Structure formats: C-alpha cells, structure tokens
Amino acid sequence: MENLLTLLGVLIVIVGFALKLDAILIVIIALIVTALTGGLGVEGMLELLGSSFVNNRGMAIFIIIMLATGTLERNGLKESAAALIQRFKKVSAGMIIDIYGVFRMIFAAFNVSFGGVAGFVRPFILPMTLGTIESRGLKINPDHEEELKGMASGMENICWFFGQVLFVGGAGALLVQSTLKDLGYEVTLGQLAAVEIPVAITALVVASVYFYLKERRLSKKYYSADNKEEM
C-alpha cells in the first residue's frame, strides 16, 4: 500500500495537466507529496534537491542564457539585428539561414552552444531574416514568417545534431563509442569524429540547398515580383 501512495505525485501531475492548472505549482505539489509519502520528509527532500543541483549545476547555465537574452531583447536586440541586415540589399532570408548553418556547424564541432532556438535563433537570426524582407519595402506575410521560424529552427537542430558528434569527448560520441563497444567494436573517439565529418557536411549541404530553394519559392508565392526585386 505504501508503494502505491508514492504514485500520488504522478496522479497529481496527470490531473493537474489535464485541468490545465499552473505547471510549476503542479510540479511543486507533486514533489512535496512524493517526498512525504515516500518517507523522505521535508528535510530529506531539500537535501536531495540540493545535492542534485550541485551535481548537475552545469545544466543550470541555460538560466543565465535566458536572463541575458531577455535583457538584450528588452534593450532592442531584435531591432538592432533587423536594422543591421537591412543594409545589405542583396541578401535573402534563405542566405541568412544558410550562413548561420555554416557557422553553427563549425561551433557545434567545438561543443559551443549559442543558446539554441530560444536563446539565439528567435531573438537574433529570425529578425535578420525578416529584415531582408523589410529592406525591400515589403510587408511581411504572417505565413511566410511562420515558415521562416521553422526553417531557422530546423537549421539550428540539424547543425547541432550532426555537429556535436564531431566534438571528441562529447556526450553523443561517448554514447556511440560505448554502444559499439558492447557490440564488440573497439573504436576511438578520433575515429568516430573522422567518420562523422562527411556525414555532417552532407547534412549541412542538403539542408542549405533545401532551405534556400524553399525560401525562394515562398518569396515568389507571398510577394509580388512585379513591384519589388525578387528575393
């Protein structure tokens, strides 16, 4: 019976989310209930939370990125990015996404993260793509904007997924190495990185061509070519 009581926290989460209650409040209540029914008590719960935070404190770096990004956005980061790209009349939204993909792949190979979609793509790359449209005196089509969000986010995910394995000692490479070892294949991290290089380059080239051509097609669809220069 006691083992079943510890599942009350799961029930609280399910019911709370089903009723669309405050997510943070639900998690906190479920945490307290689970700790009490599981025999940890309040002191044991706080001790477990503290030790878990210390052991995984590197994961909390996203909080700093979130605060920094929010501060920059509040002080005109998006507007500045859009104004910068408006100076370059020949640059299209597809070219911006492709250029970002190249740099993203390079930095991913060194395990350097810019903050992902929320921390970098949304406040910086997306405004730049929209700025290429406004620089031609065009009004941004809402459907086109949504498509650009998807393409910019897609480029981020593709480059990070394939690029991070190029980093020797990264979590992805270690996982592949341990899996192959269990299957009887002894490989070094350097060998894995060397094999991944053509795969990563192929992924980048295919994604870049696809997003560039797709953006050109969307530009023809959403904007009048007889009024403004084709993007």
Side-chain angles (χ1 to χ4, degrees):
M1 184 63 180
E2 292 181 359
N3 293 333
L4 293 177
L5 288 176
T6 59
L7 296 177
L8 284 176
V10 178
L11 179 62
I12 291 174
V13 172
I14 295 174
V15 173
F17 284 173
L19 296 177
K20 298 183 179 180
L21 301 177
D22 185 88
I24 297 179
L25 179 61
I26 294 170
V27 173
I28 292 176
I29 294 175
L31 173 65
I32 295 174
V33 170
T34 302
L36 294 177
T37 56
L40 280 177
V42 177
E43 183 177 349
M45 177 189 69
L46 295 177
E47 182 179 351
L48 179 62
L49 287 175
S51 60
S52 298
F53 178 79
V54 171
N55 294 334
N56 300 279
R57 55 187 178 276
M59 299 295 293
I61 195 172
F62 79 93
I63 299 176
I64 300 176
I65 295 176
M66 179 182 66
L67 294 175
T69 302
T71 302
L72 291 172
E73 279 198 61
R74 187 174 182 178
N75 288 276
L77 174 63
K78 293 197 294 185
E79 290 77 9
S80 298
L84 173 64
I85 205 62
Q86 285 178 8
R87 300 177 183 178
F88 304 93
K89 302 296 184 180
K90 300 295 183 180
V91 178
S92 68
M95 293 173 61
I96 292 295
I97 294 175
D98 288 351
I99 293 172
Y100 172 66
V102 173
F103 283 98
R104 188 69 190 91
M105 182 70 76
I106 294 174
F107 280 96
F110 293 94
N111 203 34
V112 177
S113 175
F114 296 139
V117 175
F120 194 80
V121 173
R122 176 185 173 275
F124 195 77
I125 299 302
L126 180 62
M128 292 180 70
T129 62
L130 298 178
T132 63
I133 301 172
E134 295 175 336
S135 67
R136 291 168 171 78
L138 299 171
K139 183 179 180 181
I140 299 173
N141 185 290
D143 293 332
H144 190 204
E145 181 177 357
E146 292 300 314
E147 292 281 0
L148 290 175
K149 288 179 182 179
M151 288 189 286
S153 301
M155 182 63 83
E156 160 70 25
N157 292 332
I158 291 171
C159 293
W160 178 245
F161 180 84
F162 288 98
Q164 65 175 329
V165 188
L166 298 175
F167 178 70
V168 178
L174 292 172
L175 175 61
V176 174
Q177 184 187 43
S178 62
T179 302
L180 291 176
K181 184 177 181 180
D182 293 338
L183 295 174
Y185 298 96
E186 292 288 344
V187 294
T188 65
L189 293 174
Q191 290 174 325
L192 289 176
V195 170
E196 177 63 20
I197 289 175
V199 178
I201 293 176
T202 300
L204 175 61
V205 171
V206 172
S208 298
V209 172
Y210 172 74
F211 287 137
Y212 179 77
L213 295 178
K214 180 177 181 180
E215 201 282 322
R216 284 180 60 88
R217 178 175 57 81
L218 291 174
S219 295
K220 293 179 181 179
K221 175 182 178 181
Y222 292 121
Y223 307 107
S224 176
D226 56 351
N227 292 331
K228 295 292 177 182
E229 177 185 357
E230 185 180 293
M231 297 176 57

